[in-house]
Amino acid sequence: MRIIDEVEREYLKKKTPAFRVGDTLKVHVRVVEGDKERVQVFTGRVIARKGSGTSASVTLRKVSYGEGVERMFFLHSPRVARIEVAKSEPARRAKLYYTRGRVGAKER
Amino acid sequence: MKIHRMGILGRKMGMTQIFDDEGRVIPVTVIQAGPCTVVQVKTPDACGYGAVQLGFDEGKETSFTKPLRGHFARAKTPPFKFLREIRLPAADLAAYAVGQAVGADIFSPGEFVDVTGVSKGKGYAGVIKRHHFSGSPASHGSHEYFRHGGSIGQHSYPGRVFKGLGMAGHLGAARATVQNLKVVKVTPGKNLLLIRGAVPGPTGAYVVVRKAVKRTRAVPA
């Protein structure tokens, strides 16, 4: 297992922000369109953290114009330019899948 | 005609995923490929065929039989636990001498390789797992007949079961080769190969990595 870790280390980012499930994050994503590159921000609440090493990921959920949107990001992907914590409200569960299909106050 | 291309011995270290320049995820198998040592060179004149015998993974002298110890003593190499021949055309043999080291640097990123190993043993498996049969309906009155293979033949004519019919039996733990896997990265110092995709056998198993027989043209890495 040590050799695998060594191989992975090269692809890991030096620093990943500290956040917990339940926090609201702003993820700055590099989007390549043709030969142009721009940064898009996805804001959402962390409903799951999964994996370790290069496969460490976070799933964000937001409600956009009344429609639930979920997006998964690999924390160490070069496409993820920056992650900032917008709001911190730690949850008592590790996975917040129960927020699906609930709106407003019932999301708690 | 058989094509013989250079290869190397190694050990499967496990799988992980890495990112390419565009941020795409690539599933890779990490292989500790070498350092290998040439233990014997087989020439068509002396042996009837051309090959280099490579040794990998040094072992303890006392855990080898006397004939094997003699074999290694003659080559003046330490005893190796994993010993395999790589068939080569006679013209290529001159490049190898007994005692020479062979490392992962014989491969370069973008090249394609064939990887041979012993697949994971699955034990005594039924026809669904072993031959991808489709099984029987789970409802509509079926009972006690869900994962069976069905009929194995006809009647008094032909009066026998045809050869090659899929039946239950031992699955896995057999030599298996996966062809045309792309080399993603080579770390010559540590003799590590990163190969796109899966490779036969469990983590820690010995494998033989050969340059691909079919897909010989490299793509930009």
Side-chain angles (χ1 to χ4, degrees), chain B residues 16 28 51 54 80 94 125 173 180:
Chain B
T16 179
V28 291
L54 297 179
F80 294 106
N180 307 331

Side-chain angles (χ1 to χ4, degrees), chain A residues 3 6 8 10 54 79, chain B residues 16-17 22 32 185 190:
Chain A
I3 285 192
E6 225 171 277
E8 283 193 359
E10 199 180 316
T54 50
R79 287 243 175 121
Chain B
T16 179
Q17 61 179 41
E22 272 136 70
Q32 173 82 57
K185 200 178 166 202
K190 290 176 191 157

Side-chain angles (χ1 to χ4, degrees), chain B residues 75-201:
Chain B
K76 298 196 178 61
T77 62
F80 294 106
K81 287 189 204 162
F82 190 44
L83 204 59
R84 285 289 180 277
E85 284 179 8
I86 309 282
R87 290 288 299 268
L88 283 178
D92 293 357
L93 291 174
Y96 301 96
V98 171
Q100 189 181 331
V102 180
D105 52 358
I106 62 166
F107 299 107
S108 50
E111 251 185 318
F112 290 88
V113 292
D114 299 338
V115 182
T116 303
V118 177
S119 60
K120 281 184 186 174
K122 306 289 182 192
Y124 189 92
V127 289
I128 293 186
K129 189 192 268 274
R130 193 169 184 235
H131 299 292
H132 307 301
F133 280 23
S134 52
S136 312
S139 63
H140 294 299
S142 313
H143 67 105
E144 296 174 354
Y145 202 88
F146 298 103
R147 295 178 65 91
H148 291 224
S151 166
I152 58 166
Q154 297 79 34
H155 202 253
S156 46
Y157 177 80
R160 62 190 175 93
V161 174
F162 290 121
K163 277 186 178 178
L165 191 80
M167 289 201 196
H170 191 269
L171 174 65
R175 180 185 158 102
T177 303
V178 181
Q179 294 185 316
N180 307 331
L181 297 172
K182 188 175 168 188
V183 177
V184 178
K185 200 178 166 202
V186 182
T187 315
K190 290 176 191 157
N191 281 313
L192 291 180
L193 284 179
L194 265 56
I195 292 174
R196 189 192 171 110
V199 150

